[in-house]
Amino acid sequence: MESTMLLLAGGKSSRMGKNKALLTIAGDVNISRVASELKKVSDNVLVITNTFDDYRFLQLPLIADLHKDHGPLGGLHAGMTASQTQLHFLAACDMPFVSATVIHELMANYEPSFDAVIPEINGRLQPLFAVYHKTCLPVLTECLMSRELKMSRFLEKISVKIIREKDFKLYHENPECFQHVFFNMNTREDYQEAVHIKQTEWDIKGGRDEL
């Protein structure tokens, strides 16, 4: 099934103190690396942002929120409304080590009887690195109109397939690398850890900059 990748580039980055999407890790702009992984999965990549000038360098379609200041739900709504496909993958720009391989696995787990496929890693759901079908758009719109903006509330109202660590091939082949895929970068300390993770990978692989 044809799909669209939705890259969330919103958020105030208040805990980071600067735009985390534009931070560099091993010489690469964070959001550029995320976008490059998404492109490996689909030619359809939409960047969801209300600050177009910041992201024109990506040379990707830029989509503004229809419901501004409504958080990730507003971004998901804007992306699904603008897309021409039924299936979507939502990715946040604060996960610097996302992997096309893991995205492919998640997409392969979609079944028509579900509205979404969401990984649960270390006991925590990862709704900003997940698959969503357009069937959930009416529920999403209803949540936004009633200002129910918590992702958890939205997920309660749709049919969700949960995928856990053991369901991923990469988890069994390289558990440490698998955990890095779900690393979330919100604070300055997180950013320093991300730089360290990337440098460690570079050293181990002898300069081959691959995850």
Side-chain angles (χ1 to χ4, degrees), residues 168-203:
F168 291 92
K169 184 178 179 181
L170 182 61
Y171 172 78
H172 298 282
E173 294 179 345
N174 192 332
E176 184 176 5
C177 180
F178 178 80
Q179 292 296 330
H180 290 166
V181 171
F182 294 91
F183 179 82
N184 190 272
M185 189 173 69
N186 284 312
T187 66
R188 292 175 182 267
E189 291 75 20
D190 292 337
Y191 173 52
Q192 292 303 318
E193 185 175 353
V195 171
H196 175 72
I197 289 171
K198 176 51 68 177
Q199 184 60 52
T200 300
E201 289 177 351
W202 183 276
D203 292 342

Side-chain angles (χ1 to χ4, degrees), residues 105 120-121 162-172 178:
E105 284 196 74
E120 183 180 297
I121 308 300
I162 304 296
I163 303 297
R164 296 181 173 84
E165 291 97 335
K166 63 180 177 59
D167 299 312
F168 291 92
K169 184 178 179 181
L170 182 61
Y171 172 78
H172 298 282
F178 178 80

Side-chain angles (χ1 to χ4, degrees), residues 7-46:
L7 177 50
L8 291 181
K12 302 184 184 302
S13 299
S14 55
R15 285 189 286 168
M16 184 69 71
K18 57 179 64 177
N19 190 342
K20 53 194 172 186
L22 301 179
L23 293 173
T24 58
I25 299 175
D28 295 325
V29 177
N30 180 37
I31 196 171
S32 294
R33 187 192 182 281
V34 177
S36 69
E37 289 298 301
L38 297 181
K39 286 185 213 177
K40 294 176 184 177
V41 182
S42 172
D43 292 331
N44 305 314
V45 180
L46 304 180

Side-chain angles (χ1 to χ4, degrees), residues 109-178:
N109 272 281
Y110 171 74
E111 299 177 44
S113 56
F114 291 94
D115 297 312
V117 181
I118 299 180
E120 183 180 297
I121 308 300
N122 299 323
R124 295 185 61 181
L125 291 177
Q126 301 286 337
L128 302 188
F129 190 74
V131 180
Y132 294 91
H133 194 276
K134 219 160 194 170
T135 51
C136 66
L137 186 55
V139 175
L140 177 54
T141 302
E142 180 184 302
C143 286
L144 292 172
M145 296 300 290
S146 61
R147 295 195 65 81
E148 291 184 272
L149 304 183
K150 288 187 176 181
M151 181 65 77
S152 58
R153 180 62 177 146
F154 166 59
L155 297 182
E156 289 173 358
K157 297 184 176 187
I158 63 174
S159 177
V160 175
K161 180 179 181 180
I162 304 296
I163 303 297
R164 296 181 173 84
E165 291 97 335
K166 63 180 177 59
D167 299 312
F168 291 92
K169 184 178 179 181
L170 182 61
Y171 172 78
H172 298 282
E173 294 179 345
N174 192 332
E176 184 176 5
C177 180
F178 178 80

Side-chain angles (χ1 to χ4, degrees), residues 63-94:
I63 306 298
D65 287 340
L66 299 173
H67 297 265
K68 288 184 170 56
D69 299 320
H70 281 49
L73 287 185
L76 177 59
H77 173 270
M80 285 204 293
T81 300
S83 82
Q84 301 299 310
T85 67
Q86 294 297 305
L87 203 60
H88 309 81
F89 189 86
L90 182 69
C93 66
D94 58 4

